Amino acid sequence: MLCLRRIPRLKACSRLLSSSPMRDELEVEKFEELSSEWWRDDKDPLLLMNQLRVPLVRSLIGGGGGGTVLDVGCGGGYLAESLAREGDLSVTGVDPSKEMIRIARAHAALSPTVLDLEYRCGMVEDVEGEWDVVVSSEVVEHVPCVTSFVEQCARRVKPGGGLMFTTINRTMASWALAIVAAENIVGFVPPGTHEYHKLVPPQQLSGAIRDCGFEVEKTVGMRYNPLTRQWSKTSDLSVNYAITARKLT
């Protein structure tokens, strides 16, 4: 019998909070409520998503190996730390939540090896510099303006570098699986984590990426099997999917 850990329901926000094209204060507060859940369960589907996310990032690095990666909206560090553990990547994680950054730093400090990993509290527009790869995973469906967010991420990619997003499509299948089932039946994430109208179709996301001077390389579906706890690639883009792209020089 599969044992599933239920995550507490999110509390309703009790005050009006300001937003910007890149930062939705209600979303930041929502995920700060969940900060204590990070790194508590090594079978967390979001952590296990690294089975696909890490190889996709590496595919953008190139055959020579080594490089710099910026993880935008890194949360508690699931992807950033896993990338740093590859050994040849210099990783920077940025997130607007001070509590998430505290948790990410604390967990990285437990590593028996020294990681080339830096965490910064702030928005993507607060970060100066260029990286070989910029990745933002499971974030774009939470920002107020997808186009502005993609533009800010794209500006931080070196010429010839890579850009990667993972997110959730806006379909009836994603509503049934990612919202009704994952939030309200299985309890992988708390109710209210995702809002259907904010989910991002791949055509919209790939269009925003191309408008920033990138060539889309891959668009792949991502499917999770809760029985085997394995993520796999699929041609079905109706729920979770990833897009990788290359900046034209």
Side-chain angles (χ1 to χ4, degrees):
M1 180 178 179
L2 178 64
C3 181
L4 300 173
R5 178 172 59 91
R6 185 163 293 276
I7 300 176
R9 178 179 294 270
L10 288 169
K11 297 181 291 183
C13 294
S14 59
R15 62 183 184 278
L16 293 176
L17 297 169
S18 62
S19 297
S20 74
M22 253 64 65
R23 176 184 176 112
D24 185 329
E25 294 289 354
L26 295 176
E27 293 282 356
V28 175
E29 184 175 272
K30 177 195 299 184
F31 285 99
E32 284 196 332
E33 290 180 19
L34 301 175
S35 59
S36 62
E37 299 293 327
W38 286 76
W39 299 108
R40 287 183 59 183
D41 184 358
D42 62 4
K43 298 300 187 290
D44 185 335
L46 183 59
L47 178 59
L48 294 176
M49 191 184 284
N50 289 343
Q51 296 164 359
L52 296 182
R53 294 190 295 187
V54 171
L56 283 168
V57 171
R58 292 216 66 99
S59 73
L60 291 168
I61 291 293
T68 58
V69 180
L70 175 65
D71 182 4
V72 179
C74 64
Y78 278 175
L79 179 56
E81 185 171 321
S82 294
L83 289 169
R85 289 183 184 279
E86 290 288 288
D88 62 342
L89 301 177
S90 176
V91 183
T92 302
V94 60
D95 196 275
S97 167
K98 292 180 180 180
E99 182 60 16
M100 287 293 196
I101 292 297
R102 184 193 68 78
I103 288 170
R105 287 171 174 164
H107 192 272
L110 299 175
S111 173
T113 59
V114 177
L115 303 177
D116 192 350
L117 174 61
E118 176 189 5
Y119 287 112
R120 305 180 191 178
C121 184
M123 304 297 296
V124 60
E125 63 265 34
D126 300 325
V127 180
E128 296 182 357
E130 292 182 331
W131 284 260
D132 294 312
V133 176
V134 173
V135 56
S136 187
S137 183
E138 308 307 299
V139 175
V140 71
E141 69 270 24
H142 300 288
V143 302
C145 181
V146 172
T147 301
S148 297
F149 181 73
V150 170
E151 288 176 352
Q152 289 292 335
C153 291
R155 290 178 186 175
R156 282 145 184 88
V157 179
K158 292 179 180 179
L163 181 63
M164 173 179 144
F165 294 95
T166 74
T167 188
I168 303 172
N169 200 348
R170 189 167 66 239
T171 63
M172 290 306 297
S174 68
W175 174 78
L177 293 174
I179 296 179
V180 176
E183 296 186 10
N184 298 287
I185 298 176
V186 181
F188 283 146
V189 292
T193 298
H194 298 102
E195 299 174 61
Y196 181 75
H197 72 279
K198 295 178 75 172
L199 302 182
V200 185
Q203 299 90 336
Q204 177 187 355
L205 184 53
S206 60
I209 292 170
R210 289 189 180 98
D211 287 345
C212 293
F214 284 72
E215 179 181 4
V216 173
E217 292 189 342
K218 297 177 185 176
T219 303
V220 297
M222 305 167 69
R223 178 178 294 155
Y224 181 65
N225 185 328
L227 297 177
T228 63
R229 295 192 172 104
Q230 293 291 314
W231 283 90
S232 59
K233 293 182 182 179
T234 173
S235 59
D236 182 4
L237 306 178
S238 64
V239 188
N240 295 86
Y241 69 93
I243 291 180
T244 63
R246 184 75 56 184
K247 192 171 191 176
L248 302 175
T249 55

